[in-house]
């Protein structure tokens, strides 16, 4: 097997990807998400994962409905823990070793985040899931993905979305929009292109961490990108 273009990645998956059409935890949707992770594993790429909480509870949405933002964000963090437990189970059913580290540890269930232990597990071929965000309110899972990627020395953040990369405009509203295959952070900023939230964007840009945006649910695309082919995704780099 040839060496992958990226030897270690942080894969960001939305919570909605685990919820199917009706939200919650959908077994078929979870199995599909696990198959996406398996593409990276089979490509020989060490893979860490962060899953959002949109299928269960969004802290920001809770605060907009009158909840205290801090408490709502902690509820969202707990929702990511549930998603991580579901994904770990799905991966183990596929025969892939997977472990969870949580910014909000629960004795006997979720061990705490430890970048050195995460590095050791990734190096041995274990998929590592990071749960509970940063452990602090007001930070998104996008920001957590950038932070954890830097802490474990990942070579890129991979963001699975509903579209096959970054476009000059919303492709659902503007069919004539142009998709970018490669882009710099400066270009994305100058053209007001949405890559991720501002905190995550700044972390990646300031530290020269590449970001790859691709469409989830299309078998083979992640394998293709990990071989260095970006025809169905967008690579964002420092230059």
């Amino acid at each position: 097997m040839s060496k992958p273009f990226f030897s270690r990645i942080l894969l960001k998956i939305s919570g909605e990807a685990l919820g199917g059409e009706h939200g919650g935890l959908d077994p078929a949707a979870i199995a599909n998400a696990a198959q996406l992770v398996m593409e990276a594993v089979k490509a020989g790429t060490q893979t860490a994962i962060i899953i959002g909480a949109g299928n269960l509870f969004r802290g920001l949405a809770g605060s907009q409905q009158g909840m205290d933002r801090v408490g709502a964000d902690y509820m969202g963090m707990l929702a990511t823990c549930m998603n991580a437990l579901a994904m770990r189970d799905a991966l183990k059913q596929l025969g892939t070793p997977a472990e969870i580290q949580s910014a909000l540890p629960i004795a006997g269930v979720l061990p705490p985040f430890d970048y050195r232990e995460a590095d050791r597990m990734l190096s041995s071929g274990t998929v590592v899931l990071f749960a509970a965000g940063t452990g602090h309110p007001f930070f998104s899972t996008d920001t957590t993905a950038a932070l954890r990627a830097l802490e474990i020395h990942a070579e890129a953040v991979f963001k699975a979305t509903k579209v096959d990369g970054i476009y000059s405009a919303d492709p659902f509203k503007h069919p004539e929009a142009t998709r970018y295959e490669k882009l710099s952070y400066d270009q994305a900023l100058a053209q007001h292109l949405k890559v991720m939230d501002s905190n995550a964007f700044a972390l990646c840009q300031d530290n020269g961490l590449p970001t790859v945006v691709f469409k989830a649910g299309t078998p083979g695309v992640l394998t293709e990108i990990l071989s260095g082919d970006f025809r169905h995704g967008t690579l964002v780099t420092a230059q």
Side-chain angles (χ1 to χ4, degrees):
M1 182 172 61
S2 60
K3 184 179 178 181
F5 192 80
F6 296 104
S7 62
R8 176 179 290 185
I9 65 171
L10 189 297
L11 176 61
K12 166 69 192 313
I13 301 173
S14 70
E16 288 88 345
L18 273 60
E21 295 182 4
H22 306 292
L25 290 167
D26 179 80
I30 295 168
N32 288 337
Q35 289 293 343
L36 175 65
V37 178
M38 289 300 296
E39 284 195 40
V41 172
K42 290 177 180 177
T45 298
Q46 297 171 13
T47 307
I49 304 170
I50 284 178
I51 307 172
N55 58 318
L56 298 174
F57 186 86
R58 287 183 181 275
L60 181 58
S63 68
Q64 291 172 343
Q65 294 172 3
M67 291 186 65
D68 174 72
R69 175 64 187 272
V70 174
D73 276 358
Y74 278 116
M75 289 177 66
M77 291 179 221
L78 293 174
T80 70
C81 295
M82 294 174 66
N83 283 339
L85 286 164
M87 178 62 78
R88 182 182 66 179
D89 180 74
L91 289 170
K92 289 193 171 182
Q93 288 189 39
L94 293 173
T96 298
E99 298 296 342
I100 301 172
Q101 291 189 348
S102 176
L104 298 176
I106 300 174
V109 181
L110 298 171
F113 170 69
D114 182 331
Y115 75 93
R116 295 165 299 179
E117 179 64 12
D119 177 69
R120 185 194 67 77
M121 289 192 291
L122 288 164
S123 296
S124 69
T126 298
V127 173
V128 180
L129 297 106
F130 297 124
T134 65
H136 301 282
F138 300 101
F139 291 98
S140 70
T141 47
D142 271 3
T143 300
T144 306
L147 176 63
R148 293 288 184 253
L150 291 167
E151 289 175 309
I152 63 171
H153 303 292
E155 295 177 1
V157 173
F158 274 59
K159 187 174 180 179
T161 68
K162 296 179 181 179
V163 292
D164 58 343
I166 299 170
Y167 282 76
S168 57
D170 186 339
F172 294 114
K173 298 179 181 177
H174 304 278
E176 74 284 359
T178 302
R179 185 185 64 82
Y180 298 98
E181 188 169 304
K182 294 185 181 180
L183 198 64
S184 73
Y185 282 107
D186 286 341
Q187 288 173 318
L189 192 62
Q191 297 178 46
H192 305 287
L193 302 175
K194 180 67 174 177
V195 180
M196 54 184 69
D197 71 49
S198 58
N199 287 331
F201 186 98
L203 272 173
C204 291
Q205 183 181 34
D206 292 348
N207 292 278
L209 178 66
T211 300
V212 177
V213 179
F214 70 102
K215 185 177 181 179
T218 306
V221 168
L222 184 53
T223 301
E224 182 181 272
I225 292 172
L226 288 170
S227 73
D229 184 343
F230 297 94
R231 287 177 297 173
H232 297 101
T234 300
L235 172 65
V236 187
T237 60
Q239 297 180 347

